[in-house]
Amino acid sequence: MDKVKKLLIIGSVWPEPNSSAAGTRMLQLISLFKVEEYAITFASPAMDSDFMVNLELVGVDKKTITLNCSSFDGFVKDLNPSVVLFDRFMMEEQFGWRVNENCPEALRLLDTEDFHCLRVARQKAFKEKRPFVEADLFVEAVAKREIASILRCDLSLIISEYEMQLLTEIFKIDSSLLLYLPFLLEEISNADIDKLPLFDERNNFVFIGNFLHEPNWNAVQYLKETIWPLIKKQLPEAVVHIYGAYPSQKVLQLNNVKEGFLVKGRAANASAVVQEARVVLAPLRFGAGIKGKLLEAMHCGTPSVTTFIGAESMHGDLDWNGFIADNPEIFANEAVLLYQDEKLWLQAQKNGVEIINHRYLRGLFEGDFMKKIKWLQANLQEHRVNNFMGSLLQHHTLKSTMYMSKWIEEKNRKK
């Protein structure tokens, strides 16, 4: 009888698909393993939230774990997973050495979500009012941690083609340790588009994004202070709705009915909100990965105006679902044009459908993903021998992280 295939996911937070693209991404990964009949356990040290998905409803066991605590050792040893998926490199730092000690034969995967050091370096360059250059990545402490985590794992899932390029060409990571795996969506048919609201049935602009994510907060500030007045000057009756999970008081204070800048907070149904809008605005000035809000706009048949960072790695050689502009005057002018010109709007909508159907279909990636997993499981020792830098880091980092964790655990015990 075949051994039961077990997947352990160690998450930094519990998945919240209605709060962030990261939550949606996690459910997509879970679905890939469910098809292969894995028994799945999702473990996290995070507190429960009111908006987390009910994991039991998707057939996943839930387990709360503790940072810097040997109780995890017994848990993971008893579970004996065949695959461990770390959600972001911070979880690999915390628990990777324990997995390595207690389940050395488990395949170790890392879902990067986005390249954290790229986002951090771009944000730093933005605050210093200078252009970002790729050399900035090497001076970021988080880059050293993130690259070390990628090297220690057997395979890292990369969501952006540009980040794949950075990892292989700038950081010289062997391609055998990386797999390009973007968001995984279902095909959009003409019948799906026919069900969506028409141009004349839609009103207003919309921005949507989780406010715990710094690029989103910065984008809303930029929209309020710079871009929206330019749009409002041309369209005096225009209104923009600002939606996003976890808005702080400083976000809520931007609400101004007279200016048509309405801060709504969390959307009960993000898709419904985007479908009702005529144009999505996403003036992102730094960030990384690919943007779930812009894919959602395409899926809802809603054209968007964004920046070059916003659209990075999302559309390949295909025309964008609207316009891409970094200059605020051009951004505003193109937003107004898209809002008023139905013919242009319909073409932009069509472009979005083409992007999803040619670049993000689940069927384009799930076969290669599982084929890679099975190959790694069958050739794990050879794969690890070939990854000498990974084994070197596993040896040294394991010791330093292990002793730090044990010191913290002992300190906590004496309190």
Side-chain angles (χ1 to χ4, degrees):
M1 186 176 179
D2 291 341
K3 176 185 173 183
V4 175
K5 296 181 290 188
K6 296 180 184 178
L7 167 67
L8 170 63
I9 302 172
I10 303 178
S12 53
V13 295
W14 303 107
E16 293 187 19
N18 292 325
S19 300
S20 70
T24 301
R25 159 76 162 186
M26 180 52 65
L27 291 187
Q28 290 171 356
L29 294 177
I30 286 172
S31 72
L32 291 179
F33 283 97
K34 291 295 288 184
V35 169
E36 295 295 318
E37 299 183 334
Y38 274 77
I40 304 175
T41 300
F42 193 108
S44 177
M47 298 285 289
D48 286 7
S49 82
D50 293 336
F51 305 102
M52 59 190 283
V53 72
N54 187 333
L55 290 166
E56 291 183 3
L57 292 181
V58 292
V60 175
D61 292 332
K62 176 179 178 288
K63 171 71 176 179
T64 299
I65 52 179
T66 305
L67 295 172
N68 303 306
C69 183
S70 56
S71 61
F72 178 84
D73 300 343
F75 157 69
V76 75
K77 196 166 187 175
D78 290 342
L79 183 65
N80 192 26
S82 35
V83 180
V84 177
L85 173 63
F86 301 102
D87 173 30
R88 302 177 175 86
F89 77 91
M90 297 81 78
M91 290 297 97
E92 189 279 333
E93 283 185 329
Q94 287 285 342
F95 295 100
W97 67 271
R98 294 186 184 274
V99 171
N100 185 66
E101 275 199 341
N102 293 284
C103 304
E105 300 305 313
L107 181 66
R108 297 188 295 269
L109 306 181
L110 172 64
D111 186 36
T112 57
E113 294 288 355
D114 62 24
F115 199 21
H116 289 67
C117 69
L118 175 61
R119 175 161 40 85
V120 170
R122 279 176 166 166
Q123 183 173 346
K124 184 176 180 181
F126 170 78
K127 288 184 175 179
E128 294 174 355
K129 298 181 179 179
R130 60 175 177 81
F132 162 78
V133 293
E134 291 175 351
D136 291 339
L137 296 169
F138 292 108
V139 300
E140 292 298 329
V142 70
K144 299 173 178 67
R145 295 170 54 199
E146 195 166 13
I147 295 300
S149 183
I150 287 171
L151 287 168
R152 286 193 298 267
C153 288
D154 299 309
L155 186 69
S156 291
L157 309 179
I158 311 300
I159 207 166
S160 156
E161 291 168 324
Y162 176 56
E163 292 169 14
M164 283 286 287
Q165 179 186 334
L166 287 177
L167 287 164
T168 55
E169 297 180 8
I170 303 298
F171 288 100
K172 308 300 182 185
I173 304 295
D174 193 290
S175 60
S176 67
L177 300 176
L178 308 172
L179 183 70
Y180 172 60
L181 191 71
F183 286 109
L184 308 172
L185 305 176
E186 301 300 325
E187 183 175 11
I188 302 176
S189 66
N190 290 333
D192 294 326
I193 292 296
D194 290 342
K195 295 175 185 175
L196 296 173
L198 301 173
F199 176 84
D200 289 333
E201 296 171 334
R202 297 170 181 244
N203 290 291
N204 307 320
F205 296 90
V206 70
F207 173 92
I208 191 164
N210 188 320
F211 288 111
L212 295 179
H213 195 52
E214 185 65 23
N216 288 333
W217 160 237
N218 180 270
V220 169
Q221 284 182 296
Y222 181 42
L223 182 60
K224 175 71 157 56
E225 296 167 3
T226 305
I227 294 174
W228 186 244
L230 297 172
I231 294 175
K232 195 71 172 170
K233 189 174 181 179
Q234 297 184 61
L235 295 175
E237 303 303 314
V239 172
V240 61
H241 292 167
I242 308 296
Y243 285 94
Y246 302 106
S248 63
Q249 191 59 37
K250 63 184 181 180
V251 175
L252 297 174
Q253 286 176 346
L254 296 180
N255 184 71
N256 190 313
V257 176
K258 185 178 178 181
E259 295 175 0
F261 198 91
L262 307 182
V263 179
K264 300 284 192 174
R266 180 184 290 272
N269 185 325
S271 292
V273 162
V274 177
Q275 283 184 31
E276 291 167 2
R278 190 175 289 178
V279 176
V280 167
L281 302 176
L284 299 159
R285 293 190 284 186
F286 53 85
I290 55 177
K291 313 305 180 290
K293 63 173 68 63
L294 295 174
L295 279 180
E296 182 165 47
M298 296 176 199
H299 204 267
C300 293
T302 310
S304 64
V305 185
T306 189
T307 58
F308 283 89
I309 281 180
E312 181 178 83
S313 287
M314 290 194 64
H315 60 115
D317 296 328
L318 300 174
D319 291 332
W320 184 248
N321 174 47
F323 292 108
I324 303 169
D326 283 341
N327 178 281
E329 286 81 12
I330 296 174
F331 190 107
N333 290 342
E334 292 182 333
V336 170
L337 185 61
L338 195 55
Y339 192 85
Q340 293 182 313
D341 190 326
E342 182 175 3
K343 184 177 179 181
L344 190 66
W345 188 91
L346 288 170
Q347 183 58 53
Q349 182 184 73
K350 183 179 178 181
N351 293 346
V353 172
E354 289 292 303
I355 291 170
I356 285 181
N357 287 349
H358 285 87
R359 291 181 57 82
Y360 296 98
L361 292 192
R362 176 181 173 131
L364 296 174
F365 301 98
E366 62 181 339
D368 288 341
F369 173 69
M370 275 306 162
K371 190 182 296 182
K372 182 73 171 180
I373 297 299
K374 290 172 183 176
W375 186 91
L376 285 170
Q377 289 174 321
N379 300 275
L380 190 55
Q381 294 311 311
E382 178 187 353
H383 179 71
R384 288 178 176 173
V385 166
N386 291 334
N387 180 21
F388 178 74
M389 289 302 295
S391 62
L392 182 72
L393 286 167
Q394 193 70 254
H395 174 75
H396 288 286
T397 312
L398 183 148
K399 297 300 180 186
S400 60
T401 310
M402 177 179 71
Y403 287 121
M404 173 61 76
S405 182
K406 288 181 178 293
W407 179 79
I408 294 172
E409 184 177 10
E410 187 63 26
K411 185 179 178 182
N412 290 339
R413 188 179 289 119
K414 291 179 178 178
K415 284 184 179 179

